[in-house]
Amino acid sequence: MILNPDENRLVCDWTASSYSNGQGGECIEWAPKHAAATGEVLVRDSKTPGGPHLTLSPESFAGLVAFAKTHG
């Protein structure tokens, strides 16, 4: 993870949800390397990669994943 000085935003290796169909549908992405390095789980909308992101604790992220699995 680095801070892009030109745009003042984080540049991470983002990973798409395993539920993504690759067609730009309703999907989230997360930054696993950032999570491993910092303990913060970054989450963003795959349709808006340059937009804002959420910063979650690992427990909150697990809750989000559980919610998504049950509410599809």
Side-chain angles (χ1 to χ4, degrees):
M1 174 208 62
I2 60 170
L3 185 63
N4 182 336
D6 297 328
E7 300 176 17
N8 197 29
R9 65 184 172 105
L10 295 174
V11 177
C12 298
D13 292 329
W14 294 93
T15 300
S17 163
S18 61
Y19 290 95
S20 174
N21 62 11
Q23 302 297 318
E26 297 177 7
C27 176
I28 63 167
E29 296 176 323
W30 72 298
K33 290 181 183 178
H34 178 84
T38 67
E40 299 174 334
V41 182
L42 304 180
V43 179
R44 71 178 184 183
D45 183 343
S46 63
K47 295 183 298 300
T48 314
H53 65 269
L54 297 174
T55 302
L56 304 173
S57 69
E59 297 82 12
S60 295
F61 182 66
L64 175 64
V65 171
F67 178 85
K69 285 181 178 180
T70 59
H71 293 89

